């Protein structure tokens, strides 16, 4: 494995053959993050660089921070860190207003095309981004938005149907191909794909940590759209599993959603669906957190990138605490130090831990 450093125009300015530590965190519902520690002689290279390419991955790192340090014993170290390329989608905001109906994939591709690839104001164009092949669909919805960051807004929309987005880097063509995708179903209750069962009985997990937190959970939303007082249009969004579940309400102000917008007049039913979709997205910020954080034995029966990968829906069993669940892999944390490789997988709600907090934790 090696790294190539590009400038802002994707011109190669150097390669990194030796490194001390690599943290490569892939995420399903938000841009991934990375941190690379290198010998001090590489400082000038990473300091001049904008993009970091890892030859065995399709993700592309965007360098956002570079540091050089000299310790008490005169040892010199350098490192760079940043986000994966999906983060640059939020360099642009949604303006002017976007207002279309379609599947989440169709809408996401339209947003990227309109505000990133071919914007009316050519100076907003983010170079090297192009649309990839259509892969999935989903249930049609209406997206009406003004002012949100492109990447953030699309992650929120896609998450309601368990989809994600990515910018796949093509080293030969120097392009970033935009794709909407969904991880495979690898549960032991289906027959379409090979199973991915993580269990202490199979000895393919270690250092497991189960967490459940309902402190901020909401499961019922009143989404208030246009109008005033008793005439205001309100949609109710109930995501409870059954009527006996404790009801925990949320008020969502959605006046920005208009039934008659820029010449488009929606029916009452269509407008209700718009409000309902907004409610689903807001409730996603208040989900009951349930996740399993496990170290994975890369030499066991499941091979990373072949038998399981980011976004896959897997079966998880941990007999020590009698936990069994089906959870999507929302984060894969890969740490390399010399010849030692550590693989940590998060199943379920993605971690909301701050980027710097994660890096600090992993490097101390």
């Amino acid at each position: 494995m090696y790294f190539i450093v590009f400038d802002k125009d994707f011109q190669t300015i150097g390669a990194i053959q030796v490194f001390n530590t690599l943290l490569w965190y892939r995420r399903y519902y938000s841009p991934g993050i990375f941190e690379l520690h290198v010998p001090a002689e590489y400082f000038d290279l990473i300091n001049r660089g904008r993009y970091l390419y890892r030859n065995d991955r399709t993700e592309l790192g965007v360098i956002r921070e570079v540091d050089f340090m000299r310790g008490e014993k005169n040892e010199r170290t350098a490192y760079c860190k940043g986000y994966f390329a999906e983060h640059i989608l939020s360099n642009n905001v949604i303006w002017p207003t976007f207002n279309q109906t379609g599947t989440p994939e169709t809408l996401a591709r339209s947003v990227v095309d309109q505000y990133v690839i071919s914007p009316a104001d050519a100076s907003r164009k983010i170079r090297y981004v192009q649309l990839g092949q259509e892969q999935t669909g989903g249930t049609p919805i209406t997206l009406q938005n003004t002012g949100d960051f492109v990447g953030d807004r699309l992650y929120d929309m896609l998450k309601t149907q368990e989809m994600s987005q990515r910018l796949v880097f093509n080293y030969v063509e120097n392009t970033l191909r935009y794709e909407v995708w969904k991880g495979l179903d690898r549960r032991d209750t289906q027959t379409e794909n090979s199973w991915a069962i993580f269990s202490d009985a199979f000895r393919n997990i270690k250092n497991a940590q189960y967490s459940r937190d309902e402190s901020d959970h909401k499961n019922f939303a009143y989404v208030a759209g246009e109008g005033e007082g008793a005439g205001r249009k309100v949609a109710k969004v109930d995501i409870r599993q059954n009527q006996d579940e404790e009801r925990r309400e949320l008020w969502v102000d959605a006046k920005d959603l208009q039934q008659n917008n820029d010449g488009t007049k929606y029916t009452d039913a269509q407008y209700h669906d718009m409000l309902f979709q907004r409610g689903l997205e807001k409730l996603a910020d208040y989900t009951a957190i349930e996740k399993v954080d496990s170290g994975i034995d890369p030499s066991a029966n499941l091979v990373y990138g072949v038998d399981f990968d980011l976004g896959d829906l897997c079966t998880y069993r941990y007999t020590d605490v009698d936990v069994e669940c089906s959870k999507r892999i929302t984060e894969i944390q890969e740490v390399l130090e010399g010849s030692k490789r550590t693989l940590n997988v998060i199943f379920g709600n993605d971690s909301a831990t701050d980027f710097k907090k994660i890096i600090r934790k992993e490097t101390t």
Side-chain angles (χ1 to χ4, degrees):
M1 180 179 62
Y2 61 89
F3 300 90
I4 295 178
V5 180
F6 301 110
D7 65 13
K8 63 181 178 61
D9 297 314
F10 277 107
Q11 297 300 307
T12 300
I13 58 176
I16 298 174
Q17 302 281 356
V18 179
F19 64 92
N20 301 326
T21 303
L22 171 67
L23 286 74
W24 197 263
Y25 289 3
R26 302 171 64 209
R27 291 172 169 173
Y28 192 60
Y29 292 128
S30 62
I33 56 177
F34 73 92
E35 181 168 330
L36 179 66
H37 291 247
V38 295
E41 55 264 30
Y42 286 114
F43 170 73
D44 180 65
L45 175 61
I46 61 176
N47 196 36
R48 291 185 293 120
R50 172 68 64 86
Y51 301 108
L52 183 72
Y53 168 62
R54 177 179 168 181
N55 73 310
D56 62 342
R57 288 284 183 265
T58 59
E59 300 97 8
L60 181 72
V62 182
I63 299 172
R64 295 301 193 197
E65 181 178 337
V66 177
D67 289 85
F68 173 86
M69 295 174 292
R70 186 186 294 273
E72 294 180 357
K73 297 181 180 180
N74 210 36
E75 68 276 13
R76 300 158 65 243
T77 60
Y79 69 87
C80 62
K81 60 185 178 182
Y83 295 89
F84 291 169
E86 291 77 19
H87 191 260
I88 68 175
L89 295 173
S90 289
N91 284 354
N92 291 2
V93 298
I94 298 176
W95 173 258
T97 298
F98 183 86
N99 188 22
Q100 288 185 23
T101 299
T103 65
E105 180 178 25
T106 299
L107 295 177
R109 289 168 62 88
S110 294
V111 168
V112 171
D113 185 50
Q114 184 172 334
Y115 302 101
V116 173
I117 299 175
S118 305
D121 180 353
S123 66
R124 303 182 67 194
K125 177 182 174 65
I126 299 179
R127 293 185 297 166
Y128 311 110
V129 177
Q130 60 182 229
L131 293 178
Q133 294 295 317
E134 294 191 49
Q135 299 190 37
T136 185
T139 303
I141 59 173
T142 297
L143 176 62
Q144 184 184 118
N145 186 263
T146 306
D148 284 353
F149 294 117
V150 169
D152 294 348
R153 187 66 188 82
L154 296 183
Y155 271 120
D156 288 345
M157 178 189 70
L158 294 168
K159 185 176 182 179
T160 63
Q161 297 192 28
E162 295 190 67
M163 299 177 183
S164 186
Q165 60 186 345
R166 59 190 174 196
L167 287 173
V168 180
F169 180 62
N170 185 309
Y171 172 70
V172 177
E173 299 177 359
N174 279 352
T175 58
L176 288 165
R177 187 175 66 247
Y178 179 80
E179 296 177 350
V180 172
W181 65 292
K182 189 172 186 177
L184 297 176
D185 186 347
R186 295 191 179 275
R187 294 173 294 179
D188 58 0
T189 55
Q190 54 80 42
T191 57
E192 183 179 353
N193 303 301
S194 61
W195 295 354
I197 304 173
F198 294 88
S199 172
D200 52 342
F202 295 156
R203 298 182 179 179
N204 56 13
I205 60 175
K206 53 187 178 181
N207 305 324
Q209 178 181 348
Y210 171 83
S211 301
R212 182 173 65 85
D213 185 354
E214 300 180 1
S215 303
D216 298 321
H217 178 49
K218 305 293 182 184
N219 54 23
F220 192 101
Y222 294 97
V223 187
E226 62 182 26
E228 300 292 338
R232 193 168 186 186
K233 297 183 178 180
V234 178
K236 299 176 182 179
V237 183
D238 187 353
I239 62 171
R240 291 176 295 168
Q241 298 299 310
N242 56 70
Q243 296 302 303
D244 293 330
E245 182 180 336
E246 178 186 11
R247 180 158 155 164
R248 304 173 70 168
E249 297 181 346
L250 178 71
W251 178 266
V252 180
D253 188 339
K255 277 191 173 181
D256 60 301
L257 297 180
Q258 297 295 307
Q259 190 166 359
N260 190 350
N261 186 287
D262 200 23
T264 301
K265 173 67 174 179
Y266 292 102
T267 66
D268 288 344
Q270 290 172 326
Y271 187 60
H272 175 273
D273 290 344
M274 290 171 58
L275 297 176
F276 192 89
Q277 173 67 19
R278 175 66 61 84
L280 288 177
E281 293 173 6
K282 291 299 182 182
L283 285 171
D285 294 332
Y286 295 89
T287 56
I289 295 175
E290 183 182 34
K291 67 177 182 178
V292 181
D293 189 340
S294 284
I296 300 298
D297 186 350
S299 63
N301 63 322
L302 297 177
V303 178
Y304 173 41
V306 177
D307 300 312
F308 71 95
D309 208 340
L310 182 70
D312 287 351
L313 187 59
C314 305
T315 299
Y316 186 94
R317 298 191 184 105
Y318 196 62
T319 58
D320 189 40
V321 291
D322 197 26
V323 169
E324 179 173 350
C325 54
S326 295
K327 294 291 183 183
R328 196 170 294 280
I329 296 176
T330 54
E331 185 170 332
I332 296 179
Q333 304 172 348
E334 187 177 359
V335 180
L336 286 81
E337 295 179 285
S339 60
K340 182 181 178 181
R341 180 191 184 202
T342 302
L343 197 64
N344 202 64
V345 176
I346 294 178
F347 302 84
N349 301 73
D350 54 321
S351 174
T353 309
D354 176 73
F355 169 55
K356 291 186 177 180
K357 182 178 179 182
I358 289 177
I359 296 302
R360 188 162 56 246
K361 174 184 176 183
E362 294 294 335
T363 57
T364 55

